[in-house]
Amino acid sequence: LVADLRKWVSDYGQQSNPVFMRIIEDLSTGSNFEFWADLDPENFVPRPELENSNRKWRNINLLSTLRNVIVFSPVALTWAAISIATSALAKFERENPDAVTNFLQFWQQGFGYLDSFWTLSNVAFFDVGLVVLIITLTFTIGVMSKRAIEFENQEQEQIDIDRSQLILKLKIYIHIQRI
């Protein structure tokens, strides 16, 4: 039983739990049996916290933050491009007062006044890329969250099983010692 208690301490990081360490010491030395026999192990066997899930949730939160930061970037890119194209069109019209231009045609063609990066098709291409990235991040975050929850549930179930088995061993030991 003492070996099982020590394994529990090691497996679930309970080295700093003074009550649990005391019962191991008392059972090892055969002292204070009556004290422990009067207590229900359900009340002093700790419920360990999940350890591995914090890192998983940290990564999920990081991806969520990244997605939330870039979610409006397609809109910002498009409006920046509209602003730059509008300014370039105004300059074009000042320098070419007789030219008849359509804004969308100017935005796409540039006519030497608009850098190719800011053309309609190029901005649309980058917008689509950003939207695909946002969709991919959203999907990935969903899958990772589902897996993290499933992992936590399985891990918690195993912890509960191990804890219940240890409590049962303690109860049997106490019962046998009383006989």
Side-chain angles (χ1 to χ4, degrees):
L1 178 62
V2 171
D4 290 336
L5 292 170
R6 286 194 172 120
K7 182 174 180 343
W8 171 268
V9 165
S10 173
D11 289 351
Y12 294 109
Q14 297 297 314
Q15 294 87 344
S16 62
N17 184 319
V19 174
F20 210 64
M21 296 308 293
R22 180 62 189 256
I23 191 171
I24 291 173
E25 181 183 327
D26 286 352
L27 289 176
S28 296
T29 61
S31 56
N32 296 322
F33 174 77
E34 289 302 320
F35 171 78
W36 295 109
D38 288 339
L39 300 176
D40 184 356
E42 294 270 354
N43 296 328
F44 64 80
V45 174
R47 293 188 187 284
E49 293 183 22
L50 300 175
E51 292 182 14
N52 296 328
S53 68
N54 287 339
R55 194 184 73 213
K56 289 178 185 350
W57 285 110
R58 195 172 326 121
N59 292 339
I60 291 168
N61 289 335
L62 179 67
L63 286 176
S64 294
T65 301
L66 176 64
R67 183 216 37 217
N68 293 343
V69 167
I70 65 172
V71 76
F72 290 109
S73 60
V75 173
L77 175 62
T78 301
W79 279 103
I82 290 171
S83 174
I84 290 168
T86 303
S87 296
L89 177 61
K91 182 178 180 184
F92 173 79
E93 287 176 341
R94 275 193 310 275
E95 294 178 6
N96 302 288
D98 295 333
V100 177
T101 55
N102 172 299
F103 175 71
L104 289 177
Q105 182 184 10
F106 179 83
W107 191 5
Q108 179 56 39
Q109 299 297 320
F111 301 114
Y113 288 82
L114 183 63
D115 184 271
S116 63
F117 178 81
W118 296 108
T119 60
L120 176 62
S121 59
N122 200 46
V123 170
F125 175 78
F126 282 108
D127 281 349
V128 167
L130 288 167
V131 169
V132 167
L133 176 61
I134 292 165
I135 291 168
T136 302
L137 283 171
T138 301
F139 178 77
T140 302
I141 291 164
V143 169
M144 289 176 68
S145 296
K146 183 176 186 269
R147 287 183 181 166
I149 290 169
E150 288 171 355
F151 175 79
E152 282 179 349
N153 289 342
Q154 290 171 353
E155 190 173 330
Q156 188 61 56
E157 186 176 323
Q158 186 60 52
I159 289 171
D160 292 344
I161 288 169
D162 291 350
R163 182 177 182 272
S164 295
Q165 289 175 344
L166 185 63
I167 288 169
L168 181 61
K169 287 178 183 178
L170 279 165
K171 287 182 177 185
I172 290 170
Y173 176 80
I174 290 169
H175 177 72
I176 290 172
Q177 295 301 316
R178 283 185 171 166
I179 296 178

